[in-house]
Amino acid sequence: MHSLPSRSWVEISGEVIADNFRRIRHLVGPGVGVVPVVKANAYGHGARDTARTLERCGATGFAVATVEEGIELRQAGIGGWVLVMGDFLACEQGALSEFRLTPVLHSAGQVLEWEAFCKNSQLRLPFHLDIDTGMGRLGAHPDALVLDAVCAARWGRFEGLMTHLAAAGNFASGQTASQLEKFEECRVVLKERGALPEFLHMASSVAVAYGIRSSWGSLVRPGLALYGYVNSTVGPAPECLLRLRPALSWKARILEIKEVPAGSLIGYDGSFRTSRLTRMAVIAVGYADGVRWALSNRGRVLAGGAWAPLIGAVSMDVSMIDITGCGPLERGDAVTLLGTEGTLTLDAAAIASAAGTVTHDILSGIGRRVKRVFSSD
Ligand SMILES: *Cc1c(COP(=O)(O)O)cnc(C)c1O
């Protein structure tokens, strides 16, 4: 048994992450590789434990955002290839090479820089090229400049071509079709020039889950789906092809319980006034731990098997909940910020919707003070 940390912690099931991974693999079939995205500490789930678990399930490559995240995987003993997708600075080239991380390059200039770096080091090092087909973020416009640079690379080894879809879940928009068309044009040009790389990849979780097969290419890059979620869609969406389970639940302890009369002001700025005799609890988690300030007077948690509204402003280190309608609770008992109690469930998608943000933001925003308790089986 784990001895649970005292204030606030998340419990992560490696078995659930592994099961989600297997379901994704089963859906895309043997012809398409699945590269788990474990950036941002595996969306709050713990990058080391998540990657180790998935490596045991057969994952041979991982994607992260930053060089530091890649180094963390190497230091955890991850041996497969590691793709650094979120760009890097020229001063990080040495670390990429030292830790055998594969960079995604985002401009013609960067391709030339990587080529020069590889030549100087006398090493043939792989890279992937990200093209901007309409995301309007990172990625090179697939013009002659960048294609020439890629085709001329002798030391840098052009291993993959990728793009990122901006609105894969929006089936009312033509943006995805337009992006896929631009990607295909680029692929054809590269093929004609004899420079088609081994890997083509476009899809993240939504494009996998909703079966946008023309975006699957040779690899898919799911993040959120591994952790048990698929974002909701807009417009006439096809059926979601993945049945997933959230892998993480989040608890915090009750620090104090008190009864306050009707008319009491609660928390900063007195933004909540009790309308009746209220049994309230102060819980050991605040916005510095990732409880959104926007949930002040809007969010809720599960306590004693019932809903307990967040009352007053969420503070940095603690929050207040109304437990008048909850079962018997004592100081030191745990409440559930994300997870299930009895028949009631609060998941990250519901929290995101109450906080006016996206599920990714809630999971990756769980703070460093919150202990991770990862169970491998
Ligand atoms: C984060 C990210 C992904 C994973 O996205 P999900 O929506 O979490 O599946 C895939 N590709 C790129 C380039 C990313 O930055």
Side-chain angles (χ1 to χ4, degrees):
M1 267 308 279
H2 292 285
S3 68
L4 293 177
S6 55
R7 280 183 83 93
S8 177
W9 69 96
V10 287
E11 293 168 12
I12 299 128
S13 165
E15 185 41 53
V16 170
I17 295 177
D19 187 53
N20 292 336
F21 175 67
R22 286 188 210 102
R23 284 165 187 258
I24 296 166
R25 247 190 352 200
H26 181 75
L27 172 61
V28 299
V32 178
V34 178
V35 182
V37 178
V38 295
K39 64 191 180 187
N41 200 26
Y43 295 38
H45 294 63
R48 291 164 175 255
D49 289 322
T50 299
R52 284 190 189 125
T53 298
L54 292 173
E55 202 169 55
R56 279 197 298 275
C57 293
T60 54
F62 294 89
V64 294
T66 70
V67 174
E68 278 191 5
E69 290 173 346
I71 294 173
E72 189 189 356
L73 292 188
R74 287 291 181 242
Q75 286 171 344
I78 296 300
W81 54 279
V82 173
L83 195 63
V84 176
M85 302 189 299
D87 213 349
F88 58 93
L89 300 164
C91 62
E92 294 177 299
Q93 284 173 329
L96 284 163
S97 156
E98 182 183 345
F99 291 93
R100 293 179 298 106
L101 309 174
T102 305
V104 173
L105 308 183
H106 304 278
S107 69
Q110 212 175 23
V111 175
L112 298 176
E113 272 174 32
W114 187 247
E115 176 68 6
F117 172 78
C118 294
K119 190 171 178 204
N120 276 340
S121 335
Q122 296 281 296
L123 291 170
R124 286 220 69 196
L125 301 174
F127 70 89
H128 290 215
L129 175 71
D130 178 25
I131 57 168
D132 185 357
T133 54
M135 173 74 186
R137 192 176 68 177
L138 288 168
H141 285 284
D143 53 20
L145 218 56
V146 73
L147 296 182
D148 286 351
V150 159
C151 292
R154 290 291 165 269
W155 288 92
R157 188 160 54 79
F158 182 31
E159 186 187 73
L161 179 72
M162 67 174 273
T163 196
H164 196 45
L165 302 175
N170 187 342
F171 291 88
S173 133
Q175 194 170 359
T176 302
S178 147
Q179 287 196 257
L180 295 179
E181 209 172 292
K182 291 208 177 97
F183 190 85
E184 175 60 13
E185 280 165 24
C186 186
R187 187 191 71 83
V188 167
V189 170
L190 286 167
K191 185 161 188 239
E192 280 165 1
R193 296 181 64 165
L196 199 60
E198 185 180 351
F199 300 117
L200 303 171
H201 48 111
M202 295 149 268
S204 55
S205 297
V206 171
V208 173
Y210 289 90
I212 309 178
R213 287 186 161 73
S214 54
S215 74
W216 290 357
S218 43
L219 298 174
V220 293
R221 310 184 303 261
L224 195 65
L226 289 170
Y227 310 108
Y229 297 88
V230 175
N231 274 348
S232 53
T233 55
V234 175
E239 186 197 352
C240 181
L241 303 173
L242 285 172
R243 290 267 162 275
L244 306 167
R245 282 178 296 154
L248 175 149
S249 57
W250 185 4
K251 311 261 186 191
R253 299 238 184 242
I254 293 178
L255 294 168
E256 298 293 343
I257 294 179
K258 44 189 173 178
E259 284 205 341
V260 295
S264 304
L265 297 177
I266 306 296
Y268 280 120
D269 296 322
S271 68
F272 186 85
R273 182 188 293 271
T274 54
S275 60
R276 51 167 160 71
L277 177 66
T278 298
R279 189 167 152 80
M280 61 173 275
V282 181
I283 57 175
V285 70
Y287 58 75
D289 303 292
V291 177
R292 292 321 164 90
W293 188 85
L295 292 173
S296 301
N297 297 311
R298 302 182 57 131
R300 55 186 187 170
V301 306
L302 288 164
W307 294 113
L310 282 159
I311 55 174
V314 171
S315 308
M316 186 181 283
D317 315 306
V318 296
S319 308
M320 289 73 77
I321 56 174
D322 180 346
I323 55 167
T324 314
C326 301
L329 286 163
E330 290 177 26
R331 235 185 125 205
D333 283 350
V335 303
T336 302
L337 289 118
L338 195 173
T340 298
E341 286 194 14
T343 56
L344 303 177
T345 291
L346 182 58
D347 71 11
I351 298 169
S353 132
T357 182
V358 292
T359 309
H360 297 74
D361 188 14
I362 295 299
L363 292 174
S364 65
I366 297 172
R368 292 164 54 115
R369 270 198 316 215
V370 179
K371 305 288 184 302
R372 265 81 185 165
V373 182
F374 194 101
S375 61
S376 301
D377 40 44

